Amino acid sequence: MPRASHPPLDLDFDAPSEVVARALIGVTLLVDGVGGRIVETEAYDRDDPASHTFGGPTPRNAAMFGPSGRAYVYRSYGIHWCLNVVCREAGHGAGVLIRAIEPTMGIARMQARRGLDDLRLLCAGPGRVGQALGIDGSFNGKALDAPPFVLIPIDGEQPAVQVEVGPRIGISKAADVPWRFGEKGSRFLSKPFRTVPRAV
DNA sequence: AGGTAGATGTTCT
DNA sequence: GAACATCTACCTA
């Protein structure tokens, strides 16, 4: 039977970022009612050469050193806005990059923002997610359990989400660390997971 | 299918 | 000045 409100999220944002990154797969993320199911994430941590927090606190990464469960939004390549979920206790400097979403809510709105109809490419990549959800720098530091954000847990009645793991994308340091997570078989990923070795 | 280049701005050395 | 947690368009097959 339908519920009037959602149960509390079974997510501990103080957990290590790779744990949170995996747990977020299948969770629905909405911004002003627009978004869908998270199908791809990446974990970053303080002692991680690929992380923005590797060198310690700076003005840009301040939100990553703040309380968990808030947003860290940064500008990528001067063009895109990318959204992270801050993890660990305040001061630690860990987070999860939201890399891809399966569009379910406010699809027309996202298509208009992206100037693109193809559902598969609507939110398939961190920059695309940012554009589709209307993320910009003003969201940096905002709590994810309060408007305009909504996080909806995985329905316990549904079969468990199958998660694949692989190396992170688009980084040059620690490129072999398997901290990319995605829903197995999803067609909304930014890139497929290569479970089978490429043919020679 | 896969490679390359260019856009565009902020951050940090 | 270099690097960058990216995306798109435009090549070549």
Side-chain angles (χ1 to χ4, degrees), chain A residues 5-180:
Chain A
S5 64
H6 303 294
L9 256 192
D10 184 24
L11 273 177
D12 175 14
F13 292 116
D14 281 346
S17 49
E18 70 271 25
V19 173
V20 176
R22 175 184 276 271
L24 279 173
I25 302 300
V27 171
T28 291
L29 168 67
L30 305 178
V31 180
D32 279 327
V34 174
R37 295 176 62 246
I38 298 171
V39 294
E40 184 182 338
T41 60
E42 280 177 2
Y44 290 87
D45 202 357
R46 170 63 196 267
D47 292 319
D48 170 5
S51 174
H52 287 173
T53 56
F54 183 62
T58 65
R60 173 177 66 160
N61 65 25
M64 281 274 271
F65 287 96
S68 67
R70 312 250 266 243
Y72 165 52
V73 176
Y74 70 94
R75 185 88 108 151
S76 176
Y77 291 89
I79 302 169
H80 309 103
W81 294 104
C82 297
L83 173 66
N84 293 255
V85 180
V86 177
C87 300
R88 295 282 199 145
E89 72 282 1
H92 183 96
V96 173
L97 174 66
I98 307 300
R99 283 197 57 91
I101 285 175
E102 173 183 338
T104 61
M105 300 273 296
I107 288 174
R109 192 91 188 281
M110 294 191 278
Q111 288 171 326
R113 284 172 175 156
R114 296 266 299 114
L116 176 79
D117 285 343
D118 188 352
L119 283 187
R120 190 151 99 123
L121 296 175
L122 210 49
C123 306
R128 292 163 172 168
V129 168
Q131 187 180 24
L133 301 200
I135 299 291
D136 63 38
S138 69
F139 291 79
N140 190 38
K142 287 198 175 185
L144 289 157
D145 63 352
F149 291 106
V150 173
L151 285 172
I152 306 172
I154 299 162
D155 185 344
E157 306 293 309
Q158 299 297 117
V161 177
Q162 287 193 281
V163 177
E164 286 187 295
V165 183
R168 295 173 292 184
I169 292 179
I171 57 172
S172 55
K173 298 162 196 165
D176 50 335
V177 178
W179 272 3
R180 174 176 177 238

